[in-house]
Amino acid sequence: MNPIELHPGLADVPVAESAISFIDGHKARLEYRGIAVETLARESCYEETAYLLLKGELPTQRELADFDDQLRHRRRIKYKLIDIIKCLPETGHPMYALQAAVAAMGMFYPARDVTNAQSNWDSAVRLIAKLPTVVAAFHRLRHGDDAITPRDDLDQAGNFYYMLFEREPSPAIRKVIDACLVLHAEHTMNASTFSGRVTGSTLANPYTVISSAIGTLTGPLHGGANEEVLDMLDEVAAAPSVQAWVDDAVAKKKKFMGFGHRVYKVKDPRATVLQELAEHVFAETGRPKRYDLAVELEAALAGILGPKGIYPNVDYYSGIVYNALGIPRDLFTPIFAVSRVAGWLAHWLEQLQHNRIYRPEQIYVGKREQPYVTLEKRP
Ligand code: CMC
């Protein structure tokens, strides 16, 4: 009988005390530092939200202006980093490029002394400012285009869109991108955040912390889901009817991408607010057929998944919105990372406040006290 109990996936096992975000999975409630995420998505902006996550309080007007200024002036990436990105295979996934570029970025900036609060803050600002530039640069370069120099007269959302498409977004498009950045910025102790905290607990430098988190986000059960939602909707569109596809998927015990969440047992509040903001964009871009299909599929699955507490999560609709904006599928998860970096960094700073290296237990189930048989005596 083992004295310790195994909790697969660490479900229900707290791994830290945290004051950054809170979820009530039964009431569809997500708060950043106590403020409802829907309010932030509608009324705040990504810059203010990032400051709130990092510092724990909303900024004054002056603090926000100063933070915004710091971000705008740290967007450029070193030409050597552009050279590194140019050498990466253009057919590779942009998440791998982002992870590699962030790890490499750590070689350009002094950040090893994580007891230095000013250096930690500078690293945090630099990472939030530069991640969009890396994603946009890889995207442009892989198509044979020059990377676009970031503009300092645009906000985070507007500049990101500009670096991708070489044109400014309309106000409605800028707002929905900004809201997506706010909605994905933080989400309690999920896999990538935990991974970043584990790396941070070794006192590794922040670029390594963030590249660990980016690597964890690549998986289809985590950040990669919004890309797979679109693939799934392509399948649904090709089926004779939504119901026929659902019947077949249920019979084959398929997993419905963009549905389900370890914590939410009702519809993810981020999905609801995203749908609301998406309507403004669709008024400009036209209502995508995939969106109507997604709404129809949600209704068709409600009776099957609803009783199990499985509802759409944020990724169910975010991909459709990005698709309507002309953003390619493999950039969906990098955009998640461009946003979530604020939450990861807030957790890294929190971890350092009362750090103890993560060193969990295991339940050993292998053989013991085996003889070593020399190679020539083995069959
Ligand atoms: N489709 C069909 N059945 C599901 C789904 C789904 N999307 N999600 C959960 N279930 C079923 C699952 O088969 C299991 O059934 P049973 O008890 O009969 O074996 C039960 O619900 C519990 O599922 P689980 O996989 O043990 O739940 P979990 O908390 O470990 O996983 C999850 C949560 C998000 C990984 C899972 O719901 C899933 O794989 N969803 C699809 C992928 C997805 O949309 N991921 C994005 C998550 S939101 C963004 C983020 O946080 O990264």
Side-chain angles (χ1 to χ4, degrees):
M1 182 75 175
N2 262 311
I4 46 174
E5 206 184 320
L6 183 67
H7 296 267
L10 293 180
D12 302 324
V13 179
V15 292
E17 285 190 335
S18 182
I20 301 169
S21 62
F22 168 81
I23 300 174
D24 184 333
H26 294 280
K27 292 192 179 145
R29 181 90 185 159
L30 168 62
E31 297 171 1
Y32 296 168
R33 302 284 189 185
I35 303 176
V37 73
E38 296 95 319
T39 313
L40 292 168
R42 290 188 190 109
E43 293 175 37
S44 178
C45 61
Y46 180 69
E47 290 82 341
E48 184 174 64
T49 300
Y51 186 100
L52 171 71
L53 290 169
L54 294 173
K55 293 276 195 181
E57 301 286 345
L58 285 170
T60 61
Q61 286 183 22
R62 198 188 166 131
E63 284 166 340
L64 180 58
D66 181 48
F67 180 57
D68 189 26
D69 198 53
Q70 290 180 45
L71 287 174
R72 287 174 193 239
H73 288 97
R74 282 184 164 143
R75 285 180 181 154
R76 290 185 185 218
I77 53 177
K78 294 197 181 277
Y79 79 87
K80 280 192 167 182
L81 193 61
I82 300 258
D83 286 348
I84 291 171
I85 297 171
K86 274 184 192 160
C87 292
L88 299 171
E90 54 270 15
T91 49
H93 198 286
M95 278 299 276
Y96 304 145
L98 181 64
Q99 187 183 22
V102 170
M105 215 189 275
M107 298 177 79
F108 291 101
Y109 302 101
R112 286 190 70 174
D113 179 9
V114 294
T115 62
N116 182 327
Q118 185 59 47
S119 157
N120 287 352
W121 176 254
D122 288 343
S123 301
V125 174
R126 209 177 271 128
L127 279 157
I128 295 172
K130 293 188 195 305
L131 252 66
T133 316
V134 170
V135 172
F138 178 72
H139 177 60
R140 303 274 312 175
L141 292 167
R142 69 178 168 168
H143 289 112
D145 297 322
D146 273 333
I148 293 177
T149 306
R151 275 174 49 182
D152 61 12
D153 60 330
L154 297 173
D155 67 0
Q156 198 82 350
N159 175 61
F160 183 48
Y161 184 93
Y162 170 76
M163 289 190 298
L164 286 176
F165 299 114
E166 214 174 357
R167 61 176 189 274
E168 288 180 36
S170 71
I173 291 177
R174 193 212 64 77
K175 176 63 196 169
V176 87
I177 295 173
D178 184 60
C180 284
L181 295 179
V182 170
L183 292 172
H184 286 88
E186 162 60 12
H187 210 226
T188 76
M189 199 57 68
N190 53 82
S192 56
T193 300
F194 182 45
S195 150
R197 279 188 88 126
V198 170
T199 307
S201 81
T202 70
L203 305 187
N205 84 57
Y207 302 92
T208 309
V209 169
I210 298 306
S211 64
S212 297
I214 292 170
T216 308
L217 189 67
T218 58
L221 295 186
H222 193 10
N226 55 8
E227 221 178 302
E228 306 228 355
V229 168
L230 269 278
D231 296 341
M232 179 181 78
L233 290 173
D234 286 348
E235 269 184 39
V236 181
S241 70
V242 171
Q243 196 54 53
W245 184 85
V246 167
D247 293 343
D248 182 60
V250 170
K252 289 182 177 149
K253 293 195 166 40
K254 273 194 183 169
K255 200 157 227 188
F256 300 98
M257 299 316 284
F259 284 81
H261 202 277
R262 174 70 59 81
V263 187
Y264 294 116
K265 299 303 161 207
V266 292
K267 186 167 171 175
D268 184 336
R270 300 169 299 171
T272 309
V273 72
L274 193 58
Q275 277 184 278
E276 174 196 306
L277 291 164
E279 291 293 343
H280 301 292
V281 171
F282 298 160
E284 279 181 27
T285 60
R287 211 179 158 79
K289 285 200 179 79
R290 289 285 180 275
Y291 181 71
D292 290 332
L293 199 62
V295 173
E296 203 184 327
L297 181 62
E298 180 184 346
L301 287 173
I304 301 165
L305 298 180
K308 294 189 192 173
I310 301 170
Y311 290 93
N313 58 54
V314 66
D315 284 335
Y316 189 57
Y317 286 109
S318 64
I320 300 168
V321 172
Y322 297 146
N323 195 49
L325 300 183
I327 295 173
R329 280 180 203 189
D330 63 1
L331 289 191
F332 297 174
T333 315
I335 296 175
F336 191 151
V338 156
S339 156
R340 182 59 59 85
V341 68
W344 290 331
L345 288 163
H347 278 273
W348 167 62
L349 292 172
E350 186 175 69
Q351 178 66 33
L352 291 179
Q353 279 170 17
H354 308 283
N355 188 51
R356 188 172 187 204
I357 188 168
Y358 277 103
R359 206 311 178 187
E361 255 312 336
Q362 62 167 13
I363 296 174
Y364 181 67
V365 295
K367 294 177 185 168
R368 292 278 330 275
E369 299 182 6
Q370 295 292 297
Y372 175 73
V373 181
T374 53
L375 187 57
E376 63 278 11
K377 289 189 183 152
R378 281 176 236 156

